[in-house]
PDB file of all heavy atoms in Angstrom:
ATOM      1  N   SER A 236      -0.282  -6.638 -14.335  1.00 89.00           N
ATOM      2  CA  SER A 236       0.061  -7.208 -13.019  1.00 89.00           C
ATOM      3  C   SER A 236      -1.162  -7.237 -12.123  1.00 89.00           C
ATOM      4  O   SER A 236      -1.403  -8.211 -11.408  1.00 89.00           O
ATOM      5  CB  SER A 236       1.152  -6.381 -12.349  1.00 89.00           C
ATOM      6  OG  SER A 236       2.318  -6.396 -13.110  1.00 89.00           O
ATOM      7  N   LEU A 237      -1.937  -6.167 -12.130  1.00 94.00           N
ATOM      8  CA  LEU A 237      -3.135  -6.089 -11.288  1.00 94.00           C
ATOM      9  C   LEU A 237      -4.159  -7.112 -11.777  1.00 94.00           C
ATOM     10  O   LEU A 237      -4.774  -7.797 -10.943  1.00 94.00           O
ATOM     11  CB  LEU A 237      -3.733  -4.689 -11.309  1.00 94.00           C
ATOM     12  CG  LEU A 237      -5.034  -4.536 -10.520  1.00 94.00           C
ATOM     13  CD1 LEU A 237      -4.854  -4.877  -9.053  1.00 94.00           C
ATOM     14  CD2 LEU A 237      -5.595  -3.123 -10.680  1.00 94.00           C
ATOM     15  N   THR A 238      -4.349  -7.234 -13.060  1.00 94.00           N
ATOM     16  CA  THR A 238      -5.344  -8.160 -13.607  1.00 94.00           C
ATOM     17  C   THR A 238      -5.064  -9.586 -13.150  1.00 94.00           C
ATOM     18  O   THR A 238      -5.970 -10.321 -12.787  1.00 94.00           O
ATOM     19  CB  THR A 238      -5.376  -8.080 -15.155  1.00 94.00           C
ATOM     20  OG1 THR A 238      -5.698  -6.716 -15.506  1.00 94.00           O
ATOM     21  CG2 THR A 238      -6.422  -9.006 -15.735  1.00 94.00           C
ATOM     22  N   ARG A 239      -3.811  -9.973 -13.149  1.00 94.00           N
ATOM     23  CA  ARG A 239      -3.424 -11.326 -12.694  1.00 94.00           C
ATOM     24  C   ARG A 239      -3.822 -11.526 -11.252  1.00 94.00           C
ATOM     25  O   ARG A 239      -4.406 -12.575 -10.883  1.00 94.00           O
ATOM     26  CB  ARG A 239      -1.911 -11.500 -12.888  1.00 94.00           C
ATOM     27  CG  ARG A 239      -1.411 -12.887 -12.611  1.00 94.00           C
ATOM     28  CD  ARG A 239       0.098 -13.027 -12.898  1.00 94.00           C
ATOM     29  NE  ARG A 239       0.575 -12.199 -14.005  1.00 94.00           N
ATOM     30  CZ  ARG A 239       1.402 -11.156 -13.888  1.00 94.00           C
ATOM     31  NH1 ARG A 239       1.870 -10.803 -12.726  1.00 94.00           N
ATOM     32  NH2 ARG A 239       1.769 -10.443 -14.921  1.00 94.00           N
ATOM     33  N   THR A 240      -3.535 -10.548 -10.402  1.00 96.00           N
ATOM     34  CA  THR A 240      -3.859 -10.658  -8.970  1.00 96.00           C
ATOM     35  C   THR A 240      -5.381 -10.664  -8.766  1.00 96.00           C
ATOM     36  O   THR A 240      -5.886 -11.421  -7.939  1.00 96.00           O
ATOM     37  CB  THR A 240      -3.198  -9.521  -8.173  1.00 96.00           C
ATOM     38  OG1 THR A 240      -1.777  -9.574  -8.383  1.00 96.00           O
ATOM     39  CG2 THR A 240      -3.513  -9.610  -6.691  1.00 96.00           C
ATOM     40  N   ILE A 241      -6.092  -9.839  -9.520  1.00 96.00           N
ATOM     41  CA  ILE A 241      -7.543  -9.801  -9.386  1.00 96.00           C
ATOM     42  C   ILE A 241      -8.136 -11.159  -9.765  1.00 96.00           C
ATOM     43  O   ILE A 241      -9.051 -11.662  -9.094  1.00 96.00           O
ATOM     44  CB  ILE A 241      -8.142  -8.659 -10.248  1.00 96.00           C
ATOM     45  CG1 ILE A 241      -7.842  -7.317  -9.602  1.00 96.00           C
ATOM     46  CG2 ILE A 241      -9.643  -8.841 -10.435  1.00 96.00           C
ATOM     47  CD1 ILE A 241      -8.210  -6.117 -10.417  1.00 96.00           C
ATOM     48  N   LYS A 242      -7.633 -11.765 -10.825  1.00 96.00           N
ATOM     49  CA  LYS A 242      -8.118 -13.093 -11.213  1.00 96.00           C
ATOM     50  C   LYS A 242      -7.886 -14.113 -10.113  1.00 96.00           C
ATOM     51  O   LYS A 242      -8.754 -14.945  -9.838  1.00 96.00           O
ATOM     52  CB  LYS A 242      -7.426 -13.550 -12.504  1.00 96.00           C
ATOM     53  CG  LYS A 242      -7.945 -12.878 -13.757  1.00 96.00           C
ATOM     54  CD  LYS A 242      -7.234 -13.364 -15.005  1.00 96.00           C
ATOM     55  CE  LYS A 242      -7.769 -12.609 -16.222  1.00 96.00           C
ATOM     56  NZ  LYS A 242      -7.051 -13.005 -17.445  1.00 96.00           N
ATOM     57  N   GLN A 243      -6.745 -14.027  -9.444  1.00 96.00           N
ATOM     58  CA  GLN A 243      -6.463 -14.930  -8.339  1.00 96.00           C
ATOM     59  C   GLN A 243      -7.433 -14.687  -7.175  1.00 96.00           C
ATOM     60  O   GLN A 243      -7.924 -15.657  -6.583  1.00 96.00           O
ATOM     61  CB  GLN A 243      -5.018 -14.764  -7.866  1.00 96.00           C
ATOM     62  CG  GLN A 243      -3.988 -15.204  -8.900  1.00 96.00           C
ATOM     63  CD  GLN A 243      -2.572 -14.720  -8.585  1.00 96.00           C
ATOM     64  OE1 GLN A 243      -2.373 -13.812  -7.759  1.00 96.00           O
ATOM     65  NE2 GLN A 243      -1.597 -15.314  -9.256  1.00 96.00           N
ATOM     66  N   LEU A 244      -7.700 -13.430  -6.877  1.00 97.00           N
ATOM     67  CA  LEU A 244      -8.633 -13.111  -5.808  1.00 97.00           C
ATOM     68  C   LEU A 244     -10.062 -13.539  -6.166  1.00 97.00           C
ATOM     69  O   LEU A 244     -10.830 -13.953  -5.287  1.00 97.00           O
ATOM     70  CB  LEU A 244      -8.591 -11.614  -5.476  1.00 97.00           C
ATOM     71  CG  LEU A 244      -7.306 -11.159  -4.751  1.00 97.00           C
ATOM     72  CD1 LEU A 244      -7.214  -9.636  -4.710  1.00 97.00           C
ATOM     73  CD2 LEU A 244      -7.241 -11.738  -3.326  1.00 97.00           C
ATOM     74  N   GLU A 245     -10.409 -13.457  -7.431  1.00 97.00           N
ATOM     75  CA  GLU A 245     -11.707 -13.953  -7.888  1.00 97.00           C
ATOM     76  C   GLU A 245     -11.802 -15.469  -7.725  1.00 97.00           C
ATOM     77  O   GLU A 245     -12.813 -16.005  -7.274  1.00 97.00           O
ATOM     78  CB  GLU A 245     -11.943 -13.584  -9.348  1.00 97.00           C
ATOM     79  CG  GLU A 245     -12.404 -12.182  -9.584  1.00 97.00           C
ATOM     80  CD  GLU A 245     -12.718 -11.905 -11.047  1.00 97.00           C
ATOM     81  OE1 GLU A 245     -11.868 -12.242 -11.921  1.00 97.00           O
ATOM     82  OE2 GLU A 245     -13.798 -11.371 -11.297  1.00 97.00           O
ATOM     83  N   GLN A 246     -10.726 -16.169  -8.075  1.00 96.00           N
ATOM     84  CA  GLN A 246     -10.691 -17.630  -7.936  1.00 96.00           C
ATOM     85  C   GLN A 246     -10.837 -18.042  -6.470  1.00 96.00           C
ATOM     86  O   GLN A 246     -11.426 -19.086  -6.171  1.00 96.00           O
ATOM     87  CB  GLN A 246      -9.400 -18.208  -8.523  1.00 96.00           C
ATOM     88  CG  GLN A 246      -9.368 -18.142 -10.047  1.00 96.00           C
ATOM     89  CD  GLN A 246      -8.001 -18.471 -10.609  1.00 96.00           C
ATOM     90  OE1 GLN A 246      -7.002 -18.554  -9.898  1.00 96.00           O
ATOM     91  NE2 GLN A 246      -7.934 -18.650 -11.936  1.00 96.00           N
ATOM     92  N   GLN A 247     -10.315 -17.235  -5.589  1.00 96.00           N
ATOM     93  CA  GLN A 247     -10.446 -17.479  -4.138  1.00 96.00           C
ATOM     94  C   GLN A 247     -11.813 -16.997  -3.615  1.00 96.00           C
ATOM     95  O   GLN A 247     -12.073 -17.122  -2.420  1.00 96.00           O
ATOM     96  CB  GLN A 247      -9.334 -16.795  -3.359  1.00 96.00           C
ATOM     97  CG  GLN A 247      -7.969 -17.438  -3.510  1.00 96.00           C
ATOM     98  CD  GLN A 247      -6.939 -16.722  -2.643  1.00 96.00           C
ATOM     99  OE1 GLN A 247      -6.410 -15.676  -3.014  1.00 96.00           O
ATOM    100  NE2 GLN A 247      -6.652 -17.291  -1.481  1.00 96.00           N
ATOM    101  N   GLN A 248     -12.611 -16.444  -4.489  1.00 97.00           N
ATOM    102  CA  GLN A 248     -13.936 -15.895  -4.143  1.00 97.00           C
ATOM    103  C   GLN A 248     -13.853 -14.806  -3.092  1.00 97.00           C
ATOM    104  O   GLN A 248     -14.684 -14.698  -2.195  1.00 97.00           O
ATOM    105  CB  GLN A 248     -14.879 -17.013  -3.720  1.00 97.00           C
ATOM    106  CG  GLN A 248     -15.098 -18.039  -4.814  1.00 97.00           C
ATOM    107  CD  GLN A 248     -16.018 -19.173  -4.429  1.00 97.00           C
ATOM    108  OE1 GLN A 248     -16.256 -19.415  -3.243  1.00 97.00           O
ATOM    109  NE2 GLN A 248     -16.575 -19.826  -5.428  1.00 97.00           N
ATOM    110  N   ILE A 249     -12.835 -13.940  -3.258  1.00 97.00           N
ATOM    111  CA  ILE A 249     -12.635 -12.820  -2.325  1.00 97.00           C
ATOM    112  C   ILE A 249     -13.184 -11.528  -2.917  1.00 97.00           C
ATOM    113  O   ILE A 249     -13.739 -10.715  -2.190  1.00 97.00           O
ATOM    114  CB  ILE A 249     -11.128 -12.676  -2.006  1.00 97.00           C
ATOM    115  CG1 ILE A 249     -10.660 -13.916  -1.222  1.00 97.00           C
ATOM    116  CG2 ILE A 249     -10.840 -11.405  -1.235  1.00 97.00           C
ATOM    117  CD1 ILE A 249      -9.160 -14.028  -1.044  1.00 97.00           C
ATOM    118  N   ILE A 250     -13.061 -11.342  -4.222  1.00 97.00           N
ATOM    119  CA  ILE A 250     -13.624 -10.181  -4.892  1.00 97.00           C
ATOM    120  C   ILE A 250     -14.358 -10.623  -6.145  1.00 97.00           C
ATOM    121  O   ILE A 250     -14.147 -11.736  -6.652  1.00 97.00           O
ATOM    122  CB  ILE A 250     -12.554  -9.135  -5.258  1.00 97.00           C
ATOM    123  CG1 ILE A 250     -11.540  -9.704  -6.255  1.00 97.00           C
ATOM    124  CG2 ILE A 250     -11.871  -8.582  -4.018  1.00 97.00           C
ATOM    125  CD1 ILE A 250     -10.624  -8.645  -6.830  1.00 97.00           C
ATOM    126  N   VAL A 251     -15.214  -9.726  -6.636  1.00 97.00           N
ATOM    127  CA  VAL A 251     -15.884  -9.914  -7.920  1.00 97.00           C
ATOM    128  C   VAL A 251     -15.721  -8.640  -8.724  1.00 97.00           C
ATOM    129  O   VAL A 251     -15.615  -7.546  -8.182  1.00 97.00           O
ATOM    130  CB  VAL A 251     -17.382 -10.248  -7.761  1.00 97.00           C
ATOM    131  CG1 VAL A 251     -17.571 -11.590  -7.108  1.00 97.00           C
ATOM    132  CG2 VAL A 251     -18.120  -9.180  -6.990  1.00 97.00           C
ATOM    133  N   ARG A 252     -15.665  -8.835 -10.033  1.00 95.00           N
ATOM    134  CA  ARG A 252     -15.631  -7.695 -10.958  1.00 95.00           C
ATOM    135  C   ARG A 252     -17.019  -7.571 -11.572  1.00 95.00           C
ATOM    136  O   ARG A 252     -17.618  -8.559 -11.994  1.00 95.00           O
ATOM    137  CB  ARG A 252     -14.634  -7.938 -12.086  1.00 95.00           C
ATOM    138  CG  ARG A 252     -13.217  -7.804 -11.669  1.00 95.00           C
ATOM    139  CD  ARG A 252     -12.285  -7.893 -12.840  1.00 95.00           C
ATOM    140  NE  ARG A 252     -12.054  -9.301 -13.169  1.00 95.00           N
ATOM    141  CZ  ARG A 252     -11.129  -9.722 -14.000  1.00 95.00           C
ATOM    142  NH1 ARG A 252     -10.371  -8.871 -14.623  1.00 95.00           N
ATOM    143  NH2 ARG A 252     -10.959 -11.002 -14.204  1.00 95.00           N
ATOM    144  N   LYS A 253     -17.492  -6.322 -11.639  1.00 93.00           N
ATOM    145  CA  LYS A 253     -18.782  -6.064 -12.281  1.00 93.00           C
ATOM    146  C   LYS A 253     -18.595  -4.925 -13.278  1.00 93.00           C
ATOM    147  O   LYS A 253     -17.880  -3.963 -12.993  1.00 93.00           O
ATOM    148  CB  LYS A 253     -19.829  -5.656 -11.229  1.00 93.00           C
ATOM    149  CG  LYS A 253     -20.124  -6.745 -10.217  1.00 93.00           C
ATOM    150  CD  LYS A 253     -21.168  -6.304  -9.217  1.00 93.00           C
ATOM    151  CE  LYS A 253     -21.416  -7.389  -8.171  1.00 93.00           C
ATOM    152  NZ  LYS A 253     -22.383  -6.947  -7.152  1.00 93.00           N
ATOM    153  N   ALA A 254     -19.261  -5.066 -14.401  1.00 90.00           N
ATOM    154  CA  ALA A 254     -19.181  -4.036 -15.431  1.00 90.00           C
ATOM    155  C   ALA A 254     -19.777  -2.736 -14.888  1.00 90.00           C
ATOM    156  O   ALA A 254     -20.791  -2.752 -14.175  1.00 90.00           O
ATOM    157  CB  ALA A 254     -19.907  -4.464 -16.690  1.00 90.00           C
ATOM    158  N   ASP A 255     -19.130  -1.620 -15.234  1.00 84.00           N
ATOM    159  CA  ASP A 255     -19.640  -0.303 -14.853  1.00 84.00           C
ATOM    160  C   ASP A 255     -20.969  -0.075 -15.547  1.00 84.00           C
ATOM    161  O   ASP A 255     -21.116  -0.398 -16.745  1.00 84.00           O
ATOM    162  CB  ASP A 255     -18.606   0.757 -15.255  1.00 84.00           C
ATOM    163  CG  ASP A 255     -18.993   2.138 -14.804  1.00 84.00           C
ATOM    164  OD1 ASP A 255     -19.970   2.695 -15.321  1.00 84.00           O
ATOM    165  OD2 ASP A 255     -18.292   2.685 -13.923  1.00 84.00           O
ATOM    166  N   ALA A 256     -21.931   0.491 -14.841  1.00 86.00           N
ATOM    167  CA  ALA A 256     -23.259   0.722 -15.412  1.00 86.00           C
ATOM    168  C   ALA A 256     -23.211   1.693 -16.599  1.00 86.00           C
ATOM    169  O   ALA A 256     -23.983   1.552 -17.536  1.00 86.00           O
ATOM    170  CB  ALA A 256     -24.199   1.273 -14.339  1.00 86.00           C
ATOM    171  N   GLU A 257     -22.278   2.650 -16.576  1.00 87.00           N
ATOM    172  CA  GLU A 257     -22.204   3.657 -17.640  1.00 87.00           C
ATOM    173  C   GLU A 257     -21.197   3.302 -18.718  1.00 87.00           C
ATOM    174  O   GLU A 257     -21.341   3.729 -19.862  1.00 87.00           O
ATOM    175  CB  GLU A 257     -21.862   5.014 -17.035  1.00 87.00           C
ATOM    176  CG  GLU A 257     -22.960   5.523 -16.089  1.00 87.00           C
ATOM    177  CD  GLU A 257     -22.552   6.804 -15.369  1.00 87.00           C
ATOM    178  OE1 GLU A 257     -21.586   7.452 -15.790  1.00 87.00           O
ATOM    179  OE2 GLU A 257     -23.207   7.112 -14.370  1.00 87.00           O
ATOM    180  N   ASP A 258     -20.161   2.556 -18.378  1.00 83.00           N
ATOM    181  CA  ASP A 258     -19.109   2.182 -19.339  1.00 83.00           C
ATOM    182  C   ASP A 258     -18.841   0.700 -19.192  1.00 83.00           C
ATOM    183  O   ASP A 258     -18.100   0.277 -18.306  1.00 83.00           O
ATOM    184  CB  ASP A 258     -17.851   2.993 -19.078  1.00 83.00           C
ATOM    185  CG  ASP A 258     -16.726   2.686 -20.072  1.00 83.00           C
ATOM    186  OD1 ASP A 258     -16.921   1.815 -20.952  1.00 83.00           O
ATOM    187  OD2 ASP A 258     -15.649   3.288 -19.941  1.00 83.00           O
ATOM    188  N   LYS A 259     -19.454  -0.113 -20.045  1.00 80.00           N
ATOM    189  CA  LYS A 259     -19.361  -1.564 -19.930  1.00 80.00           C
ATOM    190  C   LYS A 259     -17.918  -2.098 -20.056  1.00 80.00           C
ATOM    191  O   LYS A 259     -17.640  -3.197 -19.654  1.00 80.00           O
ATOM    192  CB  LYS A 259     -20.257  -2.244 -20.978  1.00 80.00           C
ATOM    193  CG  LYS A 259     -21.739  -1.886 -20.871  1.00 80.00           C
ATOM    194  CD  LYS A 259     -22.311  -2.415 -19.570  1.00 80.00           C
ATOM    195  CE  LYS A 259     -23.788  -2.096 -19.501  1.00 80.00           C
ATOM    196  NZ  LYS A 259     -24.320  -2.109 -18.163  1.00 80.00           N
ATOM    197  N   ARG A 260     -17.035  -1.315 -20.664  1.00 82.00           N
ATOM    198  CA  ARG A 260     -15.622  -1.731 -20.790  1.00 82.00           C
ATOM    199  C   ARG A 260     -14.889  -1.638 -19.479  1.00 82.00           C
ATOM    200  O   ARG A 260     -13.914  -2.307 -19.251  1.00 82.00           O
ATOM    201  CB  ARG A 260     -14.906  -0.874 -21.829  1.00 82.00           C
ATOM    202  CG  ARG A 260     -15.468  -0.985 -23.235  1.00 82.00           C
ATOM    203  CD  ARG A 260     -14.877   0.060 -24.125  1.00 82.00           C
ATOM    204  NE  ARG A 260     -15.292   1.391 -23.586  1.00 82.00           N
ATOM    205  CZ  ARG A 260     -14.799   2.550 -23.956  1.00 82.00           C
ATOM    206  NH1 ARG A 260     -13.853   2.622 -24.860  1.00 82.00           N
ATOM    207  NH2 ARG A 260     -15.227   3.670 -23.429  1.00 82.00           N
ATOM    208  N   SER A 261     -15.368  -0.791 -18.589  1.00 85.00           N
ATOM    209  CA  SER A 261     -14.743  -0.562 -17.277  1.00 85.00           C
ATOM    210  C   SER A 261     -15.306  -1.545 -16.255  1.00 85.00           C
ATOM    211  O   SER A 261     -16.501  -1.762 -16.192  1.00 85.00           O
ATOM    212  CB  SER A 261     -14.995   0.878 -16.851  1.00 85.00           C
ATOM    213  OG  SER A 261     -14.342   1.137 -15.630  1.00 85.00           O
ATOM    214  N   LYS A 262     -14.411  -2.122 -15.461  1.00 88.00           N
ATOM    215  CA  LYS A 262     -14.829  -3.079 -14.434  1.00 88.00           C
ATOM    216  C   LYS A 262     -14.664  -2.440 -13.050  1.00 88.00           C
ATOM    217  O   LYS A 262     -13.670  -1.787 -12.760  1.00 88.00           O
ATOM    218  CB  LYS A 262     -13.979  -4.353 -14.483  1.00 88.00           C
ATOM    219  CG  LYS A 262     -14.044  -5.079 -15.800  1.00 88.00           C
ATOM    220  CD  LYS A 262     -15.384  -5.710 -16.024  1.00 88.00           C
ATOM    221  CE  LYS A 262     -15.341  -6.515 -17.327  1.00 88.00           C
ATOM    222  NZ  LYS A 262     -16.637  -6.861 -17.787  1.00 88.00           N
ATOM    223  N   ARG A 263     -15.679  -2.644 -12.230  1.00 94.00           N
ATOM    224  CA  ARG A 263     -15.634  -2.160 -10.835  1.00 94.00           C
ATOM    225  C   ARG A 263     -15.432  -3.357  -9.922  1.00 94.00           C
ATOM    226  O   ARG A 263     -15.913  -4.444 -10.206  1.00 94.00           O
ATOM    227  CB  ARG A 263     -16.903  -1.389 -10.511  1.00 94.00           C
ATOM    228  CG  ARG A 263     -17.005  -0.125 -11.368  1.00 94.00           C
ATOM    229  CD  ARG A 263     -17.873   0.932 -10.757  1.00 94.00           C
ATOM    230  NE  ARG A 263     -17.798   2.166 -11.489  1.00 94.00           N
ATOM    231  CZ  ARG A 263     -16.985   3.159 -11.181  1.00 94.00           C
ATOM    232  NH1 ARG A 263     -16.176   3.074 -10.157  1.00 94.00           N
ATOM    233  NH2 ARG A 263     -16.960   4.253 -11.920  1.00 94.00           N
ATOM    234  N   LEU A 264     -14.767  -3.116  -8.820  1.00 97.00           N
ATOM    235  CA  LEU A 264     -14.372  -4.201  -7.907  1.00 97.00           C
ATOM    236  C   LEU A 264     -15.127  -4.153  -6.601  1.00 97.00           C
ATOM    237  O   LEU A 264     -15.291  -3.087  -6.019  1.00 97.00           O
ATOM    238  CB  LEU A 264     -12.874  -4.128  -7.629  1.00 97.00           C
ATOM    239  CG  LEU A 264     -11.979  -4.119  -8.886  1.00 97.00           C
ATOM    240  CD1 LEU A 264     -10.558  -3.788  -8.523  1.00 97.00           C
ATOM    241  CD2 LEU A 264     -12.050  -5.457  -9.563  1.00 97.00           C
TER     242      LEU A 264
END
Side-chain angles (χ1 to χ4, degrees):
S236 298
L237 177 60
T238 301
R239 187 176 327 112
T240 302
I241 288 172
K242 284 181 182 177
Q243 293 166 344
L244 289 168
E245 280 183 311
Q246 289 169 349
Q247 287 182 280
Q248 299 179 341
I249 294 170
I250 63 170
V251 294
R252 286 187 278 191
K253 297 180 183 178
D255 185 291
E257 296 174 16
D258 181 0
K259 300 295 182 201
R260 297 169 297 168
S261 183
K262 301 291 184 194
R263 296 202 172 266
L264 304 170

